[in-house]
Amino acid sequence: MNKYPKFINDFIRMCSDGYQQGWHERNGGNLTYRLTDEDIQDTKYLLEVHDTSYPIGTHVPHLANAYFLVTGSGKFFRNVVLDPEASIGIIQIDATGERYYKCWGLRNHSVPTSELPSHLMNHEVKMLATNGSHRVIYHAHPANLIALTFVFALDDKVFTKELWGAATECPVVFPSGVGVVDWMVPGGKDIAVASSEKMKEYDAIVWAHHGLFCSGESLDITFGLMHTIEKAAEIIVKARSMNLPRINQINDEELRQLAKDFQVTLPDKFLS
Ligand code: 2HA
Ligand code: ZN
């Protein structure tokens, strides 16, 4: 694992960790990371300059010239650690924000994730909203959270309150709540536009009957957000599987106490 700069090794490890959680059946899920200037320097010896560019499928002008480490389309997270250069790669966005160049990896004519439009539109929104601090977009298929999209209304407030109410760390880890996007065809610009609209407000977006998108500053923080949300969903599924009525939940007064002690702001619209 020492063969590559640390951020590439960390990215590879996160792919294995996500697979081991059971979030990446077959080629499910995708991960992208926006390189820092230091990462680009550390990777110069790997990066190749190419003339050929490819369409992104959407327009991300604020990401012009940025570099991203991405998982490949059709690649299995399970296999990333065995052959990184065939499964992941680095791309550079062109000066127009409409096309990208392949700079490393993605061997044998591989291309970036089918969800590249959603990833890049989310990156653009989060980069602007966080003054550049968010660098990671992570999409996975965690089963408990997906199960909840069959029994709860597909509504930001319903999901936010259920998750916050199920595990004490939730309002602290995602104080802005979670957004929900209705079922849509994945892989294109329409779902990218719908998701990035919600990403202006939230760090996590549920895709009904499909999975979850998370945004964060680092690989650790973003993996942790996915893990926290899926753990809360698992608790809800377990509690609801006991065939007993729910008689307790972390209530609004308790959420307010948490917000105060942990110095986070919970939007008023989620509290009565
Ligand atoms: O196959 O998860 O959403 C990758 C995906 C598509
Ligand atoms: Zn998916």
Side-chain angles (χ1 to χ4, degrees), residues 25 27-30 74-75 113-115 139-141 186-187 207 210 213:
E25 75 292 339
N27 61 318
N30 19 80
K75 304 299 178 182
T113 164
S114 59
E115 302 294 0
H139 169 58
H141 298 169
W207 277 8
H210 182 146
F213 263 84

Side-chain angles (χ1 to χ4, degrees), residues 130-197:
T130 66
N131 212 0
S133 75
H134 277 218
R135 299 194 166 271
V136 181
I137 299 288
Y138 181 32
H139 169 58
H141 298 169
N144 292 287
L145 182 79
I146 295 169
L148 298 186
T149 68
F150 295 94
V151 298
F152 290 157
L154 300 175
D155 176 79
D156 300 358
K157 183 168 181 179
V158 170
F159 269 78
T160 298
K161 291 303 291 287
E162 286 287 347
L163 293 164
W164 281 359
T168 299
E169 64 176 340
C170 286
V172 179
V173 174
F174 49 100
S176 50
V178 297
V180 183
V181 171
D182 284 352
W183 187 87
M184 291 179 79
V185 175
K189 183 172 176 183
D190 291 350
I191 197 166
V193 170
S195 305
S196 60
E197 201 49 50

